[in-house]
Amino acid sequence: ADAEHHVYACASTAALSPMTLALALLSERKRTELVIRFLVRHVKYFLGLRIEVSGWEHLQAEGPFVIISNHQSSLDVLGLMEVLPDRCSTIAKKELLWAGTVGLVCWLGGIVFINRKKTSDAKSVMSNTAKIMLRDQISLWVFPEGTRNQKGDILPFKKGAFHLAVQAQAPIIPVVFSSYSNFYLRKEKQFKSGTITLKILPKIETKGLTSDDVTPLCERSYGVMRAAFLEISCQSPQSNGPSNH
């Protein structure tokens, strides 16, 4: 998949550029993140992609908050960098930290690593992450599907992101990426210029909610995101639903 290789290559170049490494050595982590973000945001021009965003006003919330979005491929990073708010990072499994250049890019980009092998209980895993959010006053971007998906719909959601939001008592802001199928077919290795539509939805409050509310919160979030996905992707509904995990 050449398009995804281009994204990885450009991100790696950004992370390993002399300016970025110099800032990292000087412990200028915030400026390092800004340099990487600036460089990656320009990758779309090389790939012939346009990114259209609606709902910007919904990102003007007071932090911390939890952003959730659907996950199709590494091309998602282009849309993510287009709208990523200040003091917002993403979550990745800790194993990525040791994955060579990819790990370096993640670390320099300020990603928060979680140890998912430590326990199978999403509530426990997210408890420490919620403490980091509140301590550092940062927002986090999570992909609740838990894996990349290009099947023309949104996969059932895992519940980790919703445990995180409830434990931090932080609002959820859904961000929906349109389907890439009109310009990118990964299995067939077909890629052409096209437009990625991002729709930022109104925030979903979690204040006063407890772990007992996680399942309905997950179902509500899934419902509004899937409806938006089908709308901006011009597709008809199929059957799917939130996960029990």
Side-chain angles (χ1 to χ4, degrees):
D2 292 339
E4 297 196 49
H5 290 157
H6 280 306
V7 173
Y8 282 126
C10 291
S12 299
T13 300
L16 298 174
S17 70
M19 182 191 301
T20 306
L21 292 174
L23 288 170
L25 289 171
L26 291 170
S27 298
E28 294 283 353
R29 187 82 172 275
K30 178 61 181 174
R31 292 185 185 179
T32 305
E33 293 170 25
L34 292 175
V35 169
I36 292 176
R37 188 184 304 185
F38 173 80
L39 294 173
V40 172
R41 283 182 68 175
H42 286 74
V43 174
K44 62 180 181 285
Y45 300 119
F46 296 105
L47 297 176
L49 293 175
R50 292 177 64 241
I51 298 177
E52 295 181 351
V53 182
S54 64
W56 276 107
E57 67 275 12
H58 301 309
L59 272 183
Q60 309 310 310
E62 292 289 326
F65 46 82
V66 176
I67 297 177
I68 57 173
S69 69
N70 54 315
H71 188 23
Q72 297 177 78
S73 80
S74 58
L75 291 175
D76 296 344
V77 74
L78 302 181
L80 184 153
M81 290 297 183
E82 195 77 14
V83 301
L84 190 70
D86 289 336
R87 300 196 62 75
C88 182
S89 187
T90 54
I91 286 179
K93 55 186 178 182
K94 201 167 187 178
E95 293 85 354
L96 268 181
L97 184 57
W98 315 112
T101 304
V102 173
L104 179 60
V105 172
C106 291
W107 182 77
L108 289 174
I111 283 177
V112 174
F113 294 97
I114 59 172
N115 187 0
R116 293 199 301 194
K117 284 186 175 179
K118 188 175 181 180
T119 173
S120 58
D121 182 2
K123 182 179 177 181
S124 300
V125 172
M126 290 304 175
S127 176
N128 289 333
T129 310
K131 291 174 184 174
I132 293 171
M133 278 184 69
L134 297 174
R135 182 194 70 201
D136 297 344
Q137 285 295 291
I138 60 172
S139 300
L140 289 174
W141 189 306
V142 186
F143 297 101
E145 289 171 287
T147 187
R148 289 184 288 187
N149 163 43
Q150 281 192 299
K151 296 181 178 178
D153 206 339
I154 296 182
L155 290 176
F157 286 170
K158 310 293 184 184
K159 292 180 181 173
F162 307 96
H163 280 295
L164 172 63
V166 167
Q167 290 184 32
Q169 292 289 281
I172 293 170
I173 300 179
V175 175
V176 184
F177 293 75
S178 62
S179 173
Y180 301 160
S181 60
N182 63 327
F183 63 85
Y184 179 39
L185 298 174
R186 189 169 184 265
K187 286 185 177 178
E188 292 81 358
K189 295 187 177 179
Q190 293 179 12
F191 185 88
K192 55 187 178 182
S193 59
T195 299
I196 298 174
T197 301
L198 263 68
K199 187 168 187 178
I200 305 165
L201 304 180
K203 68 180 178 181
I204 300 172
E205 288 290 356
T206 64
K207 283 188 177 175
L209 299 187
T210 69
S211 57
D212 292 336
D213 301 302
V214 164
T215 295
L217 178 65
C218 178
E219 292 172 348
R220 178 186 172 191
S221 302
Y222 180 88
V224 297
M225 287 182 66
R226 184 167 182 264
F229 174 79
L230 295 173
E231 174 198 339
I232 62 179
S233 303
C234 300
Q235 296 183 30
S236 300
Q238 303 166 12
S239 62
N240 223 331
S243 167
N244 292 321
H245 297 295

